[in-house]
Amino acid sequence: MANLDVVKLRKELQRFGQEHLLQFWDELSEDHQNELYNELSALDMEEVQEYFKKTVVEMSHAGEKLDDRMQPLTESQCGSIAKSTDQDLAHYENLSLEEISKGKVGILLLAGGQGTRLGTSYPKGMYNVGLPSQKTLFQLQSERILSLQKLAEKKTGRSGKITWYIMTSASTVKPTSQFFENNNYFGLEAENVVVFQQGTLPCFTFEGKMILGEKYKLSIAPDGNGGLYRALRNEGILKDMKKKGIKFIQLYCVDNILVKVGDPLFMGYCLSKGAECANKVVPKGFPTEAVGITCKVDGHYQVVEYSEITQKSAEKRNRDGSLVYGAANICIHFFTFDFIERVVMFNERSLQHHVAKKKIPYVDSAGVLVKPDKPNGIKMEKFVFDVFQFAKNFVVWECLRDEEFAPLKNAEGASDFTPTHCRNSLLALHQKWLRIAGAKLINEAGEEAKQMGSPAGEDNNNAPDNNNDEKQYVVMCEISPLVSYAGENLQTYKGKSLELPLLLE
């Protein structure tokens, strides 16, 4: 019987020009034959080939500039924390706390990455940047959700729960689930922490042949953070959201130590505008900063990579001196459930795949594993923000970089986004909160500590002429998210002198 199936499989592979995948069939053990057979049978060949064809088209457009097709966003769809009144902000916050208290808010976390560049092999969320509390990114984010739920309950008298959906990859799914289990979900309820896995796609040669990583195994790679939408359908997450009555969703990336998980200001602004999709942005630090910017391309909303525009467009300024294309993407998005459902059910397959040319180890025709020294194939990735194009009512919310964006990307020794960069960004923010609350922080010399500079600040773009002495000045002051979500609840410290180092738990 199995032989017949192999005949059928071989025919199917031939139809798509992939019959080379069975070239070592007769040498394989029975277990390995089963493994390869199951892997190939589970592939939707038609879909995967379609993706490859689209990707080839994208490769032929690589390097093209989009300037002539771009338009900036209109002022009416751009909100900003700096330009809002206290009354506006309170209104936005109340709108959100109301929905949270009714259990209508879900949070999507992209946590597929390992800390490879940080020199670790475990999930990035388990990384500890060396705060006085020794908390990991996962713990800080868990406690921010707990804190936000408490704020909503205090405001409305209703105790609603936020469901946290954590997208992992094949390499991070087990350690992530285990970590939360071992730590009792950091005080969250287990049923409100849902870990799921993004999909993978085969790697292809430039000629369109799928690559064997071993004689009995395809070479596969995660399908990019935009693989989220496929995973929401395949892993039953969309169904779960529907069952729980979740109406509004915020998404973010695990590596940002300053992220306001479930930010009520951002979401409240979106609710006040009736938006179905939104992007939280920071002002671009300088014209040539290597960040994607949010704008319109051919009338559709899009994040345009810095390599896709010319310097002339990058330097264009408004009358007030701000950059025309200055809304930098930081991977924090808002969606209504209806929008996400529409995207997943109707638009997902039409999302463009992007090409990552990579050195992909492969088994050659003699059955020998070859590790190439230059790119020999492609991994196909989708980007999470590519769904903006399907939005009819889209807004952006501009926040302050030093309060909300410090991603952990590099090992110590790099010029930025290191564990020290992240740790100091958080310490500087917490010192600022206490000073605004009217507290005095007293150093070892018995004097009031001056405000430390934040590595995440707008002015700190790591230019070589930056004052590096100031970067050495650190105030050890940390506030647990359970004490304060975003600077609130600190009024009891008004007029008080607090001795450093300080950890408010």
Side-chain angles (χ1 to χ4, degrees):
M1 183 67 198
N3 290 349
L4 284 178
D5 286 346
V6 172
V7 170
K8 187 178 153 200
L9 179 63
R10 208 179 282 276
K11 270 209 171 110
E12 174 80 349
L13 291 172
Q14 264 165 344
R15 191 157 76 88
F16 292 102
Q18 304 292 347
E19 63 274 18
H20 65 285
L21 298 175
L22 292 178
Q23 62 185 319
F24 303 110
W25 184 261
D26 298 334
E27 302 171 26
L28 301 180
S29 67
E30 200 173 322
D31 285 352
H32 283 167
Q33 283 186 343
N34 283 332
E35 203 175 319
L36 182 61
Y37 181 83
N38 291 336
E39 183 176 35
L40 295 176
S41 304
L43 270 187
D44 182 336
M45 282 288 177
E46 203 129 350
E47 184 181 40
V48 173
Q49 291 285 119
E50 185 192 336
Y51 288 159
F52 178 76
K53 283 197 184 105
K54 282 192 189 156
T55 309
V56 171
V57 174
E58 205 236 4
M59 267 165 54
S60 65
H61 292 299
E64 282 180 13
K65 301 293 181 194
L66 298 174
D67 303 50
D68 301 342
R69 297 162 51 199
M70 281 165 52
Q71 305 89 35
L73 301 168
T74 58
E75 212 165 305
S76 65
Q77 59 190 150
C78 300
S80 137
I81 201 160
K83 292 177 186 161
S84 301
T85 64
D86 287 350
Q87 206 177 351
D88 289 336
L89 295 176
H91 173 59
Y92 299 152
E93 186 167 308
N94 290 340
L95 287 175
S96 292
L97 297 181
E98 184 64 30
E99 298 300 341
I100 289 168
S101 75
K102 291 182 192 156
K104 295 201 179 302
V105 176
I107 290 171
L108 275 170
L109 163 58
L110 304 180
Q114 292 167 293
T116 322
R117 268 199 263 172
L118 300 162
T120 65
S121 60
Y122 51 79
K124 230 186 209 183
M126 287 164 57
Y127 199 89
N128 158 9
V129 300
L131 288 166
S133 66
Q134 298 295 314
K135 285 176 184 173
T136 58
L137 294 173
F138 277 147
Q139 182 169 356
L140 291 170
Q141 293 163 20
S142 303
E143 292 182 353
R144 284 173 196 156
I145 292 175
L146 279 169
S147 195
L148 186 55
Q149 289 178 164
K150 278 199 198 110
L151 284 175
E153 185 174 0
K154 195 170 146 193
K155 181 81 204 164
T156 64
R158 269 191 312 269
S159 155
K161 295 290 183 256
I162 289 168
T163 307
W164 194 15
Y165 297 97
I166 302 176
M167 184 169 85
T168 58
S169 58
S171 54
T172 61
V173 63
K174 279 203 184 83
T176 300
S177 302
Q178 206 56 59
F179 186 68
F180 275 97
E181 233 170 273
N182 295 349
N183 289 285
N184 294 321
Y185 300 89
F186 300 106
L188 292 163
E189 284 154 36
E191 68 264 26
N192 296 326
V193 180
V194 181
V195 177
F196 66 106
Q197 193 182 328
Q198 78 183 98
T200 56
L201 285 171
C203 302
F204 280 84
T205 64
F206 298 125
E207 295 74 44
K209 299 286 184 201
M210 289 183 211
I211 296 175
L212 281 176
E214 294 183 51
K215 290 181 182 180
Y216 59 94
K217 247 198 190 105
L218 287 172
S219 175
I220 56 173
D223 52 3
N225 58 19
L228 166 73
Y229 306 105
R230 195 168 142 217
L232 289 178
R233 185 183 61 221
N234 294 349
E235 298 268 306
I237 299 301
L238 207 60
K239 270 202 185 102
D240 190 68
M241 288 176 170
K242 198 166 204 162
K243 194 176 89 199
K244 288 190 167 127
I246 288 170
K247 290 269 173 277
F248 308 105
I249 294 140
Q250 281 193 59
L251 171 149
Y252 73 98
C253 240
V254 74
D255 60 5
N256 180 5
I257 196 168
L258 297 183
V259 66
K260 286 171 70 180
V261 185
D263 179 11
L265 299 180
F266 173 42
M267 183 160 71
Y269 174 71
C270 298
L271 294 172
S272 75
K273 288 289 210 178
E276 58 180 0
C277 174
N279 197 16
K280 186 192 274 195
V281 299
V282 293
K284 204 171 173 181
F286 49 98
T288 53
E289 189 182 8
V291 288
I293 49 112
T294 320
C295 62
K296 277 178 143 182
V297 176
D298 298 332
H300 296 287
Y301 303 107
Q302 195 171 321
V303 171
V304 170
E305 293 300 333
Y306 63 99
S307 56
E308 295 177 312
I309 58 173
T310 62
Q311 187 146 352
K312 192 174 161 204
S313 288
E315 288 174 350
K316 238 188 192 162
R317 293 191 184 264
N318 297 309
R319 283 201 178 137
D320 65 1
S322 61
L323 293 169
V324 170
Y325 295 114
N329 179 51
I330 54 174
C331 196
I332 300 176
H333 313 320
F334 164 88
F335 308 110
T336 62
F337 174 79
D338 293 343
F339 175 75
I340 276 210
E341 184 177 45
R342 200 172 78 225
V343 162
V344 169
M345 292 312 184
F346 303 110
N347 306 118
E348 195 275 327
R349 279 186 74 154
S350 63
L351 281 178
Q352 182 58 54
H353 272 92
H354 303 270
V355 180
K357 295 184 180 177
K358 299 279 184 186
K359 298 178 218 173
I360 302 166
Y362 65 96
V363 174
D364 68 11
S365 53
V368 179
L369 184 68
V370 180
K371 292 191 171 173
D373 49 12
K374 56 176 196 283
N376 63 318
I378 62 171
K379 294 182 177 179
M380 302 186 291
E381 301 178 325
K382 288 181 173 178
F383 294 159
V384 69
F385 49 66
D386 281 344
V387 299
F388 292 176
Q389 60 181 307
F390 305 120
K392 307 204 174 31
N393 191 348
F394 179 85
V395 296
V396 303
W397 175 252
E398 186 183 272
C399 64
L400 304 171
R401 218 179 248 240
D402 68 318
E403 293 184 359
E404 298 199 42
F405 186 56
L408 175 64
K409 296 208 180 290
N410 303 316
E412 294 298 1
S415 64
D416 58 6
F417 306 141
T418 60
T420 294
H421 172 109
C422 292
R423 180 175 68 244
N424 289 347
S425 299
L426 195 67
L427 295 173
L429 178 62
H430 289 180
Q431 183 192 8
K432 181 165 121 178
W433 287 354
L434 277 168
R435 291 184 59 171
I436 289 169
K440 280 193 169 143
L441 299 177
I442 306 301
N443 62 20
E444 271 105 46
E447 296 158 357
E448 187 179 354
K450 66 180 196 323
Q451 175 65 44
M452 76 180 270
S454 170
E458 310 278 322
D459 50 350
N460 184 16
N461 57 23
N462 294 298
D465 59 353
N466 264 1
N467 180 351
N468 285 316
D469 295 340
E470 274 197 3
K471 286 187 190 174
Q472 303 308 315
Y473 174 69
V474 174
V475 175
M476 273 296 172
C477 159
E478 184 188 353
I479 302 168
S480 161
L482 300 174
V483 173
S484 180
Y485 172 80
E488 79 297 328
N489 289 342
L490 300 173
Q491 57 279 15
T492 47
Y493 298 102
K494 187 174 182 174
K496 290 203 174 142
S497 294
L498 305 169
E499 276 189 27
L500 293 166
L502 180 69
L503 171 58
L504 296 182
E505 283 280 19

